[in-house]
Amino acid sequence: MMLSYLRDHWQGRQSLAWSFWVNLIALRAALFALQHLVTPEKGSDHSEHAALVLTVSFLVNGPLLIWQIVGVVRACDQFYRQTGSQALVWGAQISMVLLFFLTATYALQSWQFTLKVPEEENFLTRMDREHAERYSLTVEGSTLLLSGSIELGATRRVGALLNQDAAIKQVVLESDGGNIYEGRGLAGLFAARGLATHVETRCSSACTIAFSGGTRRSISRNGRLGFHQYKVDADYDILVTNPQKEQERDLKRFREAGFSDAFLERIFASRPQEMWFPAAAELLQAGVVHHIGSAADSE
């Protein structure tokens, strides 16, 4: 019975009205509804439903669609030969073209459904990751090495590391500077934890602020501390930032850390694009460092 019905439609033996409205329009609408029902909501786990959706989509948009269209086309030919009227034939043909594009849209949706959508990274998470990529944190025994630019989030990440490893007693800094607010945050963190700070190679600009927080500060014989005036690194005015006031705040911080007044008078004398690197002996005499030698010697 069913095979006979399918064959009659395929060969165009059924009336144009039945072939078009029942076998094409009504059946296709029912199949679209079925495809919609088996498709999970957006954002849900679709791993268990992907095979079902693809199977339904293949049947709906493949062999069954061909059977529907061929049957209607042949029914149109039969209707024209019997009545000589073309108006209904043209209407059916235009409808089939529109229905074909609608079916293609559903097929595309089914294909997109099988694609794994990556989790979207929000702006704050992306910014935090990009900042973290500009420096590295390495723990070796009781020493934490901070290498690279001092970026937003550095204090939080260093604090988390210190909470995880109570054996850390010293921080080795290797940086050309970065964010002065994070430098202050690190200085406060080092002071609160009673950590020593050491410079083996270089530590400039905002890094010197972090360095000043060490309860015992040391520098290697080839190490360098660099100081200069602050500047706003932007091509537009930032109303809430005043480089002069920021320098005054850090002068107070350096004074509390034991830096001599004579040294403080020179600390911001160099222009922003320049850098002052005092000799190790001068740093020792000014109270900037407590020891000259390797990190191991200062422990």
Side-chain angles (χ1 to χ4, degrees):
M1 183 72 177
M2 179 59 67
L3 290 177
S4 177
Y5 182 87
L6 296 174
R7 184 172 58 252
D8 287 346
H9 173 79
W10 175 262
Q11 295 176 351
R13 294 176 182 175
Q14 297 177 353
S15 68
L16 176 59
W18 184 270
S19 295
F20 178 79
W21 290 110
V22 177
N23 294 342
L24 181 64
I25 299 300
L27 181 57
R28 186 118 307 257
L31 292 170
F32 285 160
L34 175 62
Q35 184 174 343
H36 179 74
L37 288 175
V38 299
T39 302
E41 295 182 0
K42 184 177 180 181
S44 62
D45 183 9
H46 57 257
S47 57
E48 299 179 357
H49 303 85
L52 176 60
V53 172
L54 283 177
T55 300
V56 172
S57 178
F58 173 76
L59 294 175
V60 169
N61 305 315
L64 189 57
L65 177 64
I66 294 174
W67 173 81
Q68 290 177 291
I69 290 178
V70 170
V72 173
V73 169
R74 289 175 176 173
C76 286
D77 292 340
Q78 291 286 355
F79 179 82
Y80 179 71
R81 284 196 296 267
Q82 294 172 1
T83 65
S85 174
Q86 291 185 337
L88 293 178
V89 173
W90 288 345
Q93 291 174 344
I94 293 174
S95 298
M96 283 190 290
V97 171
L98 296 176
L99 201 59
F100 175 82
F101 284 108
L102 181 60
T103 302
T105 300
Y106 268 79
L108 178 61
Q109 290 177 348
S110 297
W111 173 74
Q112 291 176 334
F113 174 77
T114 64
L115 300 178
K116 184 177 181 180
V117 180
E119 294 184 5
E120 186 176 352
E121 187 178 36
N122 64 46
F123 175 77
L124 293 178
T125 301
R126 177 172 60 83
M127 291 298 294
D128 188 54
R129 174 180 55 78
E130 290 177 352
H131 284 303
E133 290 173 351
R134 296 170 188 164
Y135 63 92
S136 64
L137 299 173
T138 308
V139 178
E140 295 181 359
S142 62
T143 298
L144 168 64
L145 170 62
L146 191 162
S147 178
S149 177
I150 295 179
E151 296 286 331
L152 290 172
T155 304
R156 172 172 47 81
R157 293 189 68 208
V158 170
L161 255 178
L162 295 177
N163 289 334
Q164 295 172 7
D165 192 344
I168 297 174
K169 303 300 180 184
Q170 178 178 239
V171 181
V172 175
L173 298 165
E174 184 179 295
S175 172
D176 290 323
N179 187 289
I180 62 172
Y181 302 104
E182 287 294 331
R184 293 169 185 166
L186 289 171
L189 183 62
F190 299 158
R193 299 297 180 99
L195 301 178
T197 51
H198 177 78
V199 174
E200 189 67 26
T201 56
R202 70 190 189 282
C203 177
S204 303
S205 191
C207 180
T208 60
I209 304 174
F211 176 77
S212 70
T215 54
R216 178 169 175 78
R217 302 182 293 272
S218 62
I219 188 171
S220 70
R221 297 191 182 280
N222 295 322
R224 300 198 302 171
L225 284 174
F227 302 88
H228 68 158
Q229 293 177 11
Y230 294 164
K231 68 173 180 178
V232 176
D233 192 12
D235 297 329
Y236 49 87
D237 293 332
I238 301 180
L239 300 179
V240 297
T241 301
N242 186 314
Q244 184 62 38
K245 289 184 179 180
E246 301 301 335
Q247 289 178 180
E248 292 173 0
R249 291 173 183 170
D250 287 326
L251 282 175
K252 179 181 179 181
R253 179 180 298 274
F254 291 148
R255 183 174 289 108
E256 292 173 351
F259 293 19
S260 70
D261 290 337
F263 187 87
L264 293 177
E265 289 180 0
R266 298 186 57 189
I267 205 168
F268 291 126
S270 297
R271 292 181 296 179
Q273 62 271 26
E274 298 175 349
M275 194 71 68
W276 174 46
F277 294 102
E282 186 175 0
L283 293 170
L284 183 63
Q285 182 180 7
V288 179
V289 301
H290 304 126
H291 174 78
I292 299 175
S294 67
D297 294 338
S298 64
E299 291 182 345

